[in-house]
Amino acid sequence: MKKILLITTLLISTLAASAQKNTSQSYIEKFKDDAIRIMHETGIPASIVLGVAMHESGCGNSNIAQNLNNQFGVKGGGGAVYTKHNKKVRTSYKKYNSVLESFQDFARIMTERKQFSHLADALSHYDYLGWAKGIQRSGYAGSRKWASQVLGIINKYDLHDLDEKPSDSTKLASQTQLAETKQ
């Protein structure tokens, strides 16, 4: 009887622990609207914001994502402190009040830092391929595979569907103009 109770307790605790982890789909559902908002505000494709965040944070399951709301591995901010296993952990990663704040800071880095700002001038919000390769070429990550890994996530989950297609906005504009001329 003790073995059954022990196995049941272990099974329940394992299920509870796995239930707390974000899946790729739950992460997308939770944060796609924030990524789209960032795209409309900055011109950075929503697929890039979400794809990079998923890659860098393990879909929000990394320690810094869980404890600091830092989805991109951004360093700075005076050294944050969080508690893990009843011990204080000092870190060089930046702490955010929310995931949206982390998304906004990523967009700020991409549009304001000289190292990346040329991308916003050269690329549209539906050129996720150019953004991924440009971010890598500009030194965002040390790995040579970084862009292909982010693009793999974007393609696997069809995140590019969140980006507006130029033909869609052109159709909308021409339909609006047509409707206005008829009035």
Side-chain angles (χ1 to χ4, degrees):
M1 186 69 174
K2 282 186 178 182
K3 279 186 179 179
I4 292 173
L5 185 58
L6 180 62
I7 291 171
T8 305
T9 305
L10 285 172
L11 181 62
I12 290 170
S13 63
T14 303
L15 288 173
S18 66
Q20 292 174 341
K21 288 200 173 241
N22 290 314
T23 64
S24 298
Q25 285 305 139
S26 70
Y27 191 86
I28 293 165
E29 284 305 310
K30 230 185 274 187
F31 300 114
K32 71 179 179 182
D33 292 338
D34 290 338
I36 291 168
R37 182 179 311 138
I38 298 293
M39 177 180 68
H40 288 295
E41 291 171 359
T42 66
I44 301 167
S47 60
I48 287 294
V49 174
L50 217 46
V52 173
M54 290 171 71
H55 177 66
E56 296 293 329
S57 72
C59 296
N61 293 313
S62 72
N63 278 332
I64 64 167
Q66 293 283 312
N67 296 296
L68 305 173
N69 284 320
N70 189 327
Q71 306 299 300
F72 299 93
V74 175
K75 292 189 176 180
V81 178
Y82 65 92
T83 305
K84 182 179 179 183
H85 304 297
N86 295 324
K87 291 184 179 183
K88 286 193 177 193
V89 177
R90 292 200 184 283
T91 179
S92 60
Y93 292 100
K94 196 168 182 180
K95 181 178 174 76
Y96 298 97
N97 293 321
S98 67
V99 171
L100 176 59
E101 192 177 295
S102 176
F103 281 18
Q104 290 168 329
D105 195 39
F106 173 75
R108 182 193 59 76
I109 290 166
M110 290 297 120
T111 57
E112 293 180 12
R113 280 195 190 162
K114 191 174 186 174
Q115 176 182 3
F116 303 107
S117 62
H118 67 281
L119 297 172
D121 297 333
L123 302 170
S124 67
H125 68 276
Y126 48 83
D127 186 4
Y128 67 93
L129 182 68
W131 273 94
K133 290 181 177 183
I135 291 169
Q136 179 177 329
R137 267 189 245 112
S138 298
Y140 184 81
S143 170
R144 288 182 169 158
K145 296 178 182 180
W146 185 88
S148 62
Q149 291 168 332
V150 169
L151 290 169
I153 290 169
I154 290 170
N155 291 324
K156 181 176 182 176
Y157 298 104
D158 295 322
L159 298 179
H160 44 74
D161 290 346
L162 301 174
D163 305 334
E164 294 176 347
K165 305 278 185 276
S167 59
D168 295 344
S169 56
T170 306
K171 278 184 201 172
L172 275 174
S174 62
Q175 287 172 350
T176 305
Q177 286 176 338
L178 186 62
E180 286 174 354
T181 40
K182 287 184 178 179
Q183 292 177 350

